[in-house]
Amino acid sequence: MCGIVGYAGREQAAPILLDGLERLEYRGYDSAGIAVLSESAGLQVKKAKGRLKVLSAMVDGGRSVDGFIGVGHTRWATHGEPSDVNSHPHSTPRVSIVHNGIIENYAVLKEKLQAKGYSFKSSTDTEVLVQLIEFIQKSKNTDLLTAVQLALREVIGAYAIAVLDKDNPDEIIAARKSSPLVVGIGEDEFFLASDATPIVEYTDKVVYLEDEEIAVIRRGEKLKVVNLKNVEC
């Protein structure tokens, strides 16, 4: 089972993400990665094949990655062999995503994007999804939430995702269908994970997302949960 973590708040995100990924090691994995946003450094993505200690050493325990918002992932290979390039997060110049589950129609979506000039570095279904989200952002000139909603309407399969946009350094968009995702609500901070294990140290106030629900996590604001049609839940 893959694992997802996320953080948005007043603390440095990277050490919290690494701690959360360590708490999810029991799920098993073959690679790990984090993506952290800051206004000064932009979108910083670090990932590596192998045990979590490889990633932790790469980022000096999180101290070399600056930012108060980010997501992380531990991966079991499904689409594509274990490798640095197939590891999560998958990113475009603007958007970064972590994903649990399987996009069953990824090949069809990939062909559609290739026909529009998109190319792919990995052999994963997840890279197809992040490219689709960015394509919708650009072609429809829309925000990240709307792009995620429109992209997921095209998706067949299971997913738990957390998405960052470098142009919105205070926001995580997270969504689920047939794959669990939990939001923890702290004091001026939010936590995100595949289960409550990485969250319980910080808060006992949690929201379990239901199928096709989307959490809009913004620093300094209350949690908002909507569905794919943007109806508040």
Side-chain angles (χ1 to χ4, degrees):
M1 295 184 291
C2 302
I4 285 175
V5 295
Y7 177 77
R10 60 188 185 276
E11 304 293 335
Q12 287 291 324
I16 294 172
L17 297 174
L18 291 172
D19 179 69
L21 292 177
E22 184 177 359
R23 293 170 186 270
L24 291 176
E25 282 190 301
Y26 75 91
R27 298 166 74 94
Y29 65 101
D30 53 49
S31 60
I34 60 172
V36 176
L37 271 176
S38 77
E39 292 186 6
S40 58
L43 179 62
Q44 307 150 84
V45 179
K46 306 293 182 181
K47 56 184 184 175
K49 175 185 173 182
R51 306 306 294 174
L52 184 59
K53 63 182 180 182
V54 178
L55 174 66
S56 184
M58 180 186 296
V59 297
D60 190 23
R63 289 179 288 274
S64 66
V65 182
D66 178 65
F68 301 101
I69 187 165
V71 296
H73 192 267
T74 50
R75 175 185 187 252
W76 266 126
T78 52
H79 291 86
E81 66 182 7
S83 68
D84 290 354
V85 72
N86 285 334
S87 303
H88 295 216
H90 285 280
S91 307
T92 69
R94 179 175 176 179
V95 181
S96 191
I97 191 172
V98 292
H99 165 230
N100 292 350
I102 296 176
I103 306 302
E104 296 173 9
N105 63 332
Y106 83 100
V108 173
L109 296 173
K110 187 173 185 177
E111 289 179 3
K112 168 186 171 180
L113 291 167
Q114 287 173 324
K116 297 182 180 298
Y118 280 75
S119 59
F120 295 83
K121 298 177 181 178
S122 77
S123 51
T124 68
D125 56 339
T126 304
E127 188 186 5
V128 174
L129 182 53
V130 73
Q131 297 266 33
L132 177 62
I133 291 169
E134 186 183 74
F135 166 70
I136 292 172
Q137 277 186 306
K138 290 181 176 179
S139 62
K140 297 187 179 295
N141 191 29
T142 189
D143 62 14
L144 181 62
L145 171 60
T146 304
V148 169
Q149 290 168 325
L150 293 174
L152 293 180
R153 291 184 205 175
E154 298 189 41
V155 163
I156 299 171
Y159 56 80
I161 62 171
V163 192
L164 301 176
D165 181 345
K166 74 175 183 64
D167 293 339
N168 294 281
D170 291 318
E171 179 181 78
I172 301 173
I173 301 297
R176 67 147 288 184
K177 181 179 180 181
S178 302
S179 186
L181 205 55
V182 186
V183 181
I185 304 171
E187 188 69 32
D188 298 322
E189 58 187 354
F190 296 98
F191 304 87
L192 181 70
S194 300
D195 62 47
T197 307
I199 295 175
V200 291
E201 177 185 352
Y202 302 100
T203 181
D204 59 1
K205 186 177 181 181
V206 298
V207 174
Y208 289 85
L209 296 181
E210 301 292 337
D211 276 356
E212 298 189 346
E213 286 187 345
I214 300 174
V216 183
I217 298 168
R218 295 189 178 115
R219 291 203 313 143
E221 298 185 17
K222 292 184 178 180
L223 177 68
K224 181 179 179 180
V225 179
V226 298
N227 63 21
L228 296 186
K229 296 182 179 179
N230 208 38
V231 176
E232 195 158 349
C233 302

